Amino acid sequence: MSNNIGLYIHIPFCKSKCPYCDFYSGRASENDYDNYIKVLSDNIKTWGKKKDKAVLSVYFGGGTPSILGTERLSYLLSMIKEFFNIADDAEITVEVNPDSGKTLDFNLLKRTGFNRISIGMQSAVEQELKALGRIHSINDAEVTVKRAQKAGIKNISLDLMLGIPYQTIESLKKSIDFCTNCGVTHISSYILKIENGTVFDRIQNKLELPDEDSQAKLYLFAVDYLKKLGYEQYEISNFSKAGYESRHNINYWKCGEYIGIGPSAHSFFNGKRFYYNRNMEDFIKNKTYFDCCGGDKEEFIILSLRLKSGLNFKEYKARYDEDFPENKIKIIRKYTDLGYMVLDDNSAYFTPKGYLVSNAIISELI
């Protein structure tokens, strides 16, 4: 196993719960934030005993990490630096909601060590934001980006959602143009999935959602238009300027190891996958649950094919001491002929339209 890992910190708080969201998060008080910081600090100290492994990326996700405010975020990162072996050039990301982001002290965050900001905008069209239950305005997003840039943080990502209520090619183009006009270096563009138990799940028959064909057209338009604007697709839902790919997420797709701290957080460490339950009680006790042994052949295929670089046959052989099976090559050739995949001497990967049916193809490969 590699001596390098990623570190994920889950912040389970939001000012309001978005109707499409299935992540473990909810509303809480300032006192709740402080109590959580104490528990989180204790767990950081416990996990920090794994100092033999260098941390190449730290990611604060949620929920809404920015809701904690500048001082708490800076304190947590200082704790992590004290108890973990953080690489000098580590990528350190915090997710930011434009509503709370417009009041953060990005100068202090940068001095503490944060060097990447991921902003959950979702759309630059007010009607779409309202339909998604977002509490911020388009102006909030623009202000947040500019304030982070003014502080000298160049690595900034904006989230966009595809297939959302009222969305058209024209409105998606408007959202993409907003991102590029802001000068961000990274764009994540996810197709909306209706998750069980969410508000959208209960009211989906009333939602003005694009049908499956329209969703596919929106996705393919985004891939093509972003490429024209200088954002290369490097993963099924992620696009960046050269050199600004998310190192933290690439580590996931490369079967790299990582430690997740916080309720609902998952880990892959020392060859095992395990997780915290979606409740505070187990997290307070630092009680994790074994999921499975990670890094097997099927998992490597599934995760590698999320990346535009795809499944590398040399890496496969180096990991498992065997050539990639010929029967699977035949399956790939079939989908290459249909325009869903590309196959060369060293690798196989999906085309943009192949990503739209990738789950079905992968299930055949494994």
Side-chain angles (χ1 to χ4, degrees), residues 174-185:
K174 182 178 179 180
S175 290
I176 293 173
D177 286 339
F178 175 90
C179 296
T180 59
N181 289 337
C182 283
V184 298
T185 51

Side-chain angles (χ1 to χ4, degrees), residues 63-209:
T64 308
S66 55
I67 205 171
L68 294 180
T70 306
E71 291 186 5
R72 292 190 187 97
L73 288 170
S74 295
Y75 168 76
L76 286 172
L77 183 53
S78 296
M79 285 280 299
I80 289 167
K81 285 184 170 183
E82 180 179 352
F83 290 96
F84 280 89
N85 178 20
I86 307 297
D88 292 339
D89 63 343
E91 174 191 89
I92 303 178
T93 304
V94 59
E95 288 184 349
V96 171
N97 182 289
D99 178 65
S100 48
K102 62 188 178 186
T103 60
L104 287 175
D105 182 348
F106 286 105
N107 288 295
L108 177 55
L109 290 176
K110 185 174 186 292
R111 287 198 301 272
T112 310
F114 288 98
N115 53 31
R116 186 173 184 273
I117 309 295
S118 179
I119 301 171
M121 184 180 74
Q122 315 311 346
S123 171
V125 178
E126 293 290 359
Q127 183 189 29
E128 294 171 5
L129 285 179
K130 186 176 180 181
L132 290 171
R134 304 296 289 173
I135 61 174
H136 66 84
S137 68
I138 298 165
N139 183 63
D140 290 340
E142 186 175 5
V143 168
T144 299
V145 171
K146 287 181 177 178
R147 293 182 70 248
Q149 289 171 332
K150 189 176 180 181
I153 299 174
K154 297 179 181 178
N155 198 349
I156 298 174
S157 177
L158 280 172
D159 286 353
L160 291 179
M161 293 189 79
L162 306 178
I164 60 181
Y166 309 113
Q167 192 174 55
T168 63
I169 294 288
E170 292 72 26
S171 70
L172 175 57
K173 181 178 182 298
K174 182 178 179 180
S175 290
I176 293 173
D177 286 339
F178 175 90
C179 296
T180 59
N181 289 337
C182 283
V184 298
T185 51
H186 187 282
I187 296 171
S188 293
S189 192
Y190 299 91
I191 295 176
L192 172 66
K193 181 183 177 186
I194 305 295
E195 301 286 357
N196 291 334
T198 61
V199 173
F200 269 14
D201 180 35
R202 296 196 294 272
I203 66 169
Q204 60 181 298
N205 292 333
K206 301 177 182 178
L207 295 174
E208 296 282 342
L209 294 172

Side-chain angles (χ1 to χ4, degrees), residues 3 14 16 22-23 54 57 69 73 112 155 205 219 247 318 321 350:
N3 283 325
C14 287
S16 66
D22 185 43
F23 291 123
S57 67
L73 288 170
T112 310
N155 198 349
N205 292 333
Y219 177 79
R247 286 160 55 188
D321 197 27
F350 284 114

